[in-house]
């Protein structure tokens, strides 16, 4: 037990010594880590915002289903609701009686319609249908319209569907790009750390001839990798941690329109900030793990 | 006790470094292995410290079949043998005392014990005043003494030396030889590969002569005998 503790202390000693004695290499590894993590952070920021916007827009997306005016009994309304619910893409169906419809109309079109309150209400009962997949809203509306007893359907219109399609493309492209970037930065940092280890190939061989086990040689490099990863991620972390709230204040929490509301600072600090720190730690450890393992195995 | 039985080794480029070599070395012996360049001297060292695996035949050191060791186990085996090289192989970023301490740190020995042992060794190899110097601040002879110090730090049973005097002038070579004799007198088996005829004549020991991968002479009396 004491022996293992001693070994670990010696390994730590060599980890810090390695950074101190190879300051230039460590610094270049830290800066390339900082740049990569910053880019990953940016894509993460864009990605979750597009997601957030899309969710906002989709929340407003529902189909207004107006029933035939002769459809009045509760039984008929219930069976109608069941029929609509059976359609694949339908998430929820909310009943809106003809009185509700009138109030809605008065609110939207003006007090002039208030004279229809009471017995004179010429409107029909209706449903608001929320769909699961908003990009399919057009097809779902058409399907509802074919049902017996439905007079007409309406939703945001083609401009909204186009926006939704566009967002879908942006979101997918964003995910692909950030995945590619993550792989790229892993590779970049793997190569940087591998270079620092290759420059010490002789040292590693000497350590082995003196009787150092693989883990005794490897641990200092892994600790260095983690430190380099964390230090490299710290710079973009601070940028996001203190920079995003300022950006948020300046933009008044929205991007162009209230539909595109920005995510509040504490959530971003948590998700993007700690996501970046985690990325740095993960990439730093694995890059050095693979690089040093390859070097150790090179000689018996 | 070292036992080589029918050891054959050839390299991918087609060179037959060792041809069915059989050799046995008793505990506490001091033995030279001599021969011209390309005779297989260095290959014997590499096989003994586990760097190379023989193509056929067995190498047993202290009951351990060296060729059969797994990659992971090789460092543990090496702790029982000390290695000295012509090019010293010191860790360049560590001072003299740190280089010697490193061989003990890998064992997980406590700091206090290491400090004590390092002082003993610095005394033995006569480098006390250079303890805090870095390898590139030392002369060849001094560096070689550090290597010897590191090799014997863990009190190994066997010390193998690959041309330890190869880069040194005769005066320094004599110093190194006297040091190796001192270590041998403490009970460590010493196996030394060399082509320094003068040394072999002067410090007479059992001498094995290799040529083109064959043992051509094994003289207990010692001394260099022309082929």
């Amino acid at each position: 037990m004491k022996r293992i503790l001693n070994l670990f202390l010696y390994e730590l000693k060599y980890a810090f010594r390695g950074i101190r004695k190879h300051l230039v290499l460590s610094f270049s590894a830290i800066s390339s880590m900082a740049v990569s993590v910053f880019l990953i952070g940016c894509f993460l920021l864009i990605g979750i915002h597009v997601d957030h916007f899309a969710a906002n827009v989709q929340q407003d997306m529902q189909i207004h289903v107006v029933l035939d005016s002769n459809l009045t009994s509760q039984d008929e309304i219930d069976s109608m609701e069941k029929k609509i619910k059976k359609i694949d893409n339908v998430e929820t169906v909310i009943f809106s009686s003809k009185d509700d419809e009138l109030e809605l109309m008065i609110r939207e079109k003006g007090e002039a319609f208030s004279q229809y309150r009471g017995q004179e209400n010429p409107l029909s009962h209706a449903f608001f249908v929320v769909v699961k997949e908003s990009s399919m809203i057009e097809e779902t509306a058409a399907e509802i319209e074919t049902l017996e007893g439905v007079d007409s359907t309406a939703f945001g219109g083609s401009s909204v569907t186009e926006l939704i399609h566009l967002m879908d493309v942006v979101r997918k492209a964003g995910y692909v790009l950030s995945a590619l970037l993550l792989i790229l930065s892993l590779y970049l940092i793997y190569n940087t750390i591998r270079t620092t280890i290759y420059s010490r190939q002789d040292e590693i061989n000497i350590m082995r001839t003196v009787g150092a086990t693989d883990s005794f040689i490897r641990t200092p490099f892994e600790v260095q990798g983690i430190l380099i990863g964390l230090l490299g991620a710290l710079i973009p972390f601070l940028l996001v941690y203190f920079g995003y709230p300022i950006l948020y204040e300046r933009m008044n929490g929205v991007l162009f329109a209230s539909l595109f509301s920005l995510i509040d600072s504490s959530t971003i600090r948590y998700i993007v900030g700690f996501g970046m720190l985690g990325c740095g730690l993960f990439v730093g450890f694995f890059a050095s793990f693979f690089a040093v393992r390859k070097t150790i195995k090179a000689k018996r | 006790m070292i036992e080589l039985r029918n050891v054959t080794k050839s390299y991918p480029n087609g060179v037959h470094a060792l041809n069915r070599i059989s050799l046995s070395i008793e505990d506490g012996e001091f033995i030279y292995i001599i021969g011209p360049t390309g005779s297989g001297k260095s290959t014997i060292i590499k096989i003994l410290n586990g760097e190379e695996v023989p193509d056929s035949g067995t190498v047993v050191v202290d009951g351990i079949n060296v060729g059969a060791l797994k990659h992971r186990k090789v460092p543990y085996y090496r702790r029982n043998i000390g290695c000295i090289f012509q090019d010293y192989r010191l860790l360049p970023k560590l001072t003299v005392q740190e280089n010697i301490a490193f061989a003990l740190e890998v064992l997980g020995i406590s700091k206090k014990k290491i400090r004590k042992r390092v002082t003993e060794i610095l005394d033995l190899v006569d480098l006390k005043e250079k303890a805090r110097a870095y390898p590139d601040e030392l002369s060849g002879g001094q560096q070689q003494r550090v290597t010897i110090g590191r090799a014997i730090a863990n009190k190994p049973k066997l010390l193998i030396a690959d041309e330890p005097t190869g880069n040194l002038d005769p005066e320094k070579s004599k110093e190194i030889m006297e040091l190796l004799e001192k270590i041998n007198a403490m009970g460590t088996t010493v196996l030394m590969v060399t082509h320094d005829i003068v040394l072999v004549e002067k410090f007479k020991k059992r001498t094995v002569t290799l040529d083109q991968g064959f043992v051509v002479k094994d003289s207990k009396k010692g001394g260099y005998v022309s082929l």
Side-chain angles (χ1 to χ4, degrees), chain B residues 11-12 27 42 44 53 61 70 73 79 93 124 154 158 202-203 205-206 208 211 219 224:
Chain B
Y11 289 107
D27 285 345
S42 291
I44 286 201
V53 179
V61 176
K70 289 198 180 99
K73 296 282 183 194
R79 291 171 181 184
K93 308 272 183 185
L124 182 72
N154 189 32
L158 168 65
K202 191 164 178 184
F203 298 85
K205 314 277 179 197
R206 177 182 171 194
V208 173
D211 192 26
S219 153
Y224 184 83

Side-chain angles (χ1 to χ4, degrees), chain B residues 151-191:
Chain B
I152 60 168
N154 189 32
K155 300 181 178 162
K157 277 189 169 170
L158 168 65
L159 187 68
I160 52 183
D162 189 2
E163 311 233 11
T165 59
N167 285 338
L168 304 178
D169 59 47
E171 188 58 35
K172 293 286 179 302
S173 299
K174 200 174 139 258
E175 255 175 47
I176 296 294
M177 279 309 297
E178 281 161 2
L179 183 55
L180 289 178
E181 280 194 315
K182 207 156 112 190
I183 291 161
N184 179 239
M186 292 172 181
T188 306
T189 312
V190 178
L191 183 149

Side-chain angles (χ1 to χ4, degrees), chain B residues 81-93:
Chain B
I81 55 169
C83 278
I84 303 166
F85 306 94
Q86 184 177 0
D87 53 356
Y88 320 130
R89 300 198 195 172
L90 295 168
L91 293 165
K93 308 272 183 185

Side-chain angles (χ1 to χ4, degrees), chain B residues 23-211:
Chain B
L23 195 63
S24 93
I25 301 163
E26 298 297 326
D27 285 345
E29 260 191 278
F30 195 130
I31 177 170
Y32 292 121
I33 294 183
I34 62 169
T37 310
S39 58
K41 304 186 303 267
S42 291
T43 305
I44 286 201
I45 297 264
K46 283 180 181 165
I47 281 175
L48 279 175
N49 79 3
E51 210 174 307
E52 296 283 354
V53 179
D55 298 337
S56 65
T58 51
V59 181
V60 179
V61 176
D62 253 345
I64 297 164
N65 185 347
V66 183
L69 284 173
K70 289 198 180 99
H71 185 274
R72 197 160 44 80
K73 296 282 183 194
V74 173
Y76 294 99
Y77 162 72
R78 288 203 179 123
R79 291 171 181 184
N80 299 314
I81 55 169
C83 278
I84 303 166
F85 306 94
Q86 184 177 0
D87 53 356
Y88 320 130
R89 300 198 195 172
L90 295 168
L91 293 165
K93 308 272 183 185
L94 301 185
T95 62
V96 167
Q97 58 182 1
E98 286 168 340
N99 258 291
I100 296 170
F102 186 85
L104 299 167
E105 284 172 350
V106 301
L107 307 169
I109 296 173
S110 75
K111 247 185 181 155
K112 211 173 130 193
K113 280 185 191 159
I114 290 180
R115 209 174 299 142
K116 188 164 161 277
R117 179 69 182 146
V118 169
T119 317
E120 276 172 32
I121 288 165
L122 285 173
D123 216 17
L124 182 72
V125 299
D126 195 22
L127 277 172
K128 257 185 175 161
E129 69 287 2
K130 292 285 182 189
R132 287 171 196 281
Y134 286 91
D136 57 6
E137 297 162 6
L138 302 178
S139 70
Q142 288 168 330
Q143 288 191 54
Q144 193 57 287
R145 278 186 277 151
V146 180
T147 313
I148 294 171
R150 183 181 62 183
I152 60 168
N154 189 32
K155 300 181 178 162
K157 277 189 169 170
L158 168 65
L159 187 68
I160 52 183
D162 189 2
E163 311 233 11
T165 59
N167 285 338
L168 304 178
D169 59 47
E171 188 58 35
K172 293 286 179 302
S173 299
K174 200 174 139 258
E175 255 175 47
I176 296 294
M177 279 309 297
E178 281 161 2
L179 183 55
L180 289 178
E181 280 194 315
K182 207 156 112 190
I183 291 161
N184 179 239
M186 292 172 181
T188 306
T189 312
V190 178
L191 183 149
M192 175 170 156
V193 163
T194 187
H195 58 226
D196 192 331
I197 301 157
V198 183
L199 278 186
V200 175
E201 282 296 341
K202 191 164 178 184
F203 298 85
K204 283 203 170 65
K205 314 277 179 197
R206 177 182 171 194
T207 304
V208 173
T209 312
L210 288 184
D211 192 26

Side-chain angles (χ1 to χ4, degrees), chain A residues 29-46:
Chain A
I30 287 172
S31 42
S32 70
M33 178 67 94
V35 172
S36 308
V37 170
F38 181 71
L39 288 175
I40 291 173
C42 284
F43 274 84
L44 205 61
L45 204 62
I46 293 168

